[in-house]
Amino acid sequence: MSVVIFSHGRCLSYDVGQDHPEAASRIHAVQDQLLSSGLDYVVQQRDATPASLEQLYLAHDPAYVDHVFAAVPDTGHIWLDDDTQANAKSLNAALYSAGAGINAVDWVMQQQGAQAFCLVRPPGHHAQYKAAKGFCIFNNIAIAAAYAMQQYGLQRVLIVDFDVHHGNGTEDIFQHEPRVKFFSSFQHPFYPYTDPVSHTPSIVKMPLAAGTTGAVYQQRFTQEWLPLMQEFQPELVLVSAGFDAHIEDDMGQMKLTELDYLWLGQQLKQIADQHCHGRLVSMLEGGYEHSPLARSVVAYLKGQI
Ligand SMILES: [Zn+2]
């Protein structure tokens, strides 16, 4: 069974300002690399469907969701936080991003040994229960996890976030949720400047110094995280897959390469194979330098095939 990629043209249909790093060209770069690597023959590509309001409410305060819909104008844009601009098209894209996660959960839960990757924007992991943040309007991975628990009655959902930035929104939503175990590695101190200490059993943080190499990353992942992940015995593995910890990505100062993302793809697939019939859903978060982003996504997918 190969990886299914869920995406939608709406995710490429908006702009949040000239020269903004979170640009549609990121998705084009990944699609080009899928073609040039020959991986497009191996993966299946499917159109995502939009999330419903009720599905957004699974992970967000309904008052926040309703506020966003009321506040975003038909023309022009508003700022939901200092970094997060929203317009009618990006709000629409956010529905398809969240919807892709739901499509992907359905896909892996209904197949045997299936993996999915959501090639979407805007990203989601900074969006909190009742607030947008850091380019994120709705928390795609949290909506996917909440949907999986509601729809399929799952009791143990593993979420792994290897973006260079801490997934503060996912922590905010699930810090008191016993059915979720959220592992997040991130450069520290760094945006969004959350507390590096894990305060509840649902949260496992790995703050990393600027300049951390892939060798150190792999060692810490293996020694600190793998035993805890095995012990958790997940029924589903969800991944906030951000690729901005790559050495060539100027958004952060970490030193991972595409070989580390290949390794991460292999490790996460192995955990999914061991515990939950290979059910693995990854959603694109950050990654802003086009070439390393595209190479890293392809390497990460090759690790799962
Ligand atoms: Zn990031």
Side-chain angles (χ1 to χ4, degrees):
M1 185 74 70
S2 75
V3 180
V4 174
I5 295 182
F6 289 95
S7 188
H8 197 280
R10 298 283 170 84
C11 293
L12 292 84
S13 70
Y14 72 95
D15 199 356
V16 280
Q18 215 177 1
D19 300 327
H20 194 286
E22 204 290 279
S25 46
R26 301 168 62 229
I27 306 286
H28 288 301
V30 173
Q31 287 169 335
D32 288 349
Q33 190 76 20
L34 284 170
L35 281 170
S36 62
S37 67
L39 210 61
D40 65 310
Y41 284 110
V42 182
V43 298
Q44 298 176 44
Q45 304 219 34
R46 296 192 177 197
D47 269 348
T49 54
S52 67
L53 275 180
E54 287 67 31
Q55 289 165 339
L56 302 180
Y57 294 163
L58 292 172
H60 290 285
D61 183 347
Y64 163 67
V65 175
D66 294 347
H67 161 72
V68 171
F69 277 89
V72 170
D74 291 336
T75 56
H77 65 266
I78 57 162
W79 291 92
L80 294 171
D81 93 324
D82 290 348
D83 299 311
T84 315
Q85 194 193 91
N87 57 44
K89 286 184 175 176
S90 68
L91 177 57
N92 200 358
L95 298 182
Y96 282 87
S97 289
I102 286 164
N103 298 149
V105 165
D106 281 338
W107 171 252
V108 304
M109 292 304 297
Q110 292 167 13
Q111 303 294 318
Q112 278 293 319
Q115 292 81 50
F117 187 90
C118 301
L119 184 56
V120 292
R121 61 188 281 272
H125 72 154
H126 293 309
Q128 301 172 345
Y129 181 64
K130 51 174 77 177
K133 193 175 177 70
F135 314 159
C136 305
I137 301 174
F138 303 124
N139 193 314
N140 304 321
I141 206 82
I143 292 164
Y147 174 76
M149 292 188 285
Q150 186 218 41
Q151 184 71 15
Y152 297 98
L154 300 188
Q155 296 298 312
R156 294 183 307 282
V157 176
L158 172 64
I159 306 177
V160 182
D161 185 331
F162 55 73
D163 191 277
V164 79
H165 305 98
H166 178 239
N168 63 291
T170 312
E171 176 181 16
D172 179 58
I173 292 164
F174 290 133
Q175 56 186 330
H176 301 299
E177 172 52 77
R179 294 172 295 176
V180 169
K181 199 100 171 160
F182 175 50
F183 291 73
S184 181
S185 60
F186 52 94
Q187 183 176 320
H188 176 76
F190 198 43
Y191 184 88
Y193 304 104
T194 35
D195 185 346
V197 178
S198 311
H199 291 287
T200 70
S202 296
I203 305 298
V204 184
K205 297 183 192 177
M206 188 195 289
L208 298 159
T212 296
T213 61
V216 169
Y217 189 93
Q218 290 191 23
Q219 186 184 31
R220 289 195 59 183
F221 186 102
T222 304
Q223 290 177 351
E224 297 173 28
W225 277 9
L226 270 184
L228 295 175
M229 290 175 177
Q230 304 285 13
E231 190 185 348
F232 185 59
Q233 300 185 355
E235 297 168 302
L236 172 67
V237 180
L238 302 179
V239 184
S240 270
F243 299 90
D244 40 10
H246 193 285
I247 188 169
E248 293 169 35
D249 197 311
D250 293 337
M251 192 65 83
Q253 288 81 43
M254 282 181 41
K255 295 187 172 177
L256 271 55
T257 69
E258 46 270 47
L259 289 178
D260 298 307
Y261 294 114
L262 174 80
W263 183 85
L264 274 168
Q266 292 168 335
Q267 297 299 312
L268 294 166
K269 169 76 161 41
Q270 213 167 61
I271 292 164
D273 281 343
Q274 280 171 7
H275 295 285
C276 48
H277 313 287
R279 294 170 189 153
L280 172 61
V281 170
S282 306
M283 303 194 74
L284 182 66
E285 299 283 0
Y288 299 98
E289 203 63 48
H290 292 174
S291 172
L293 166 65
R295 289 170 1 236
S296 298
V297 170
V298 165
Y300 177 69
L301 293 175
K302 281 183 175 171
Q304 299 172 32
I305 290 168

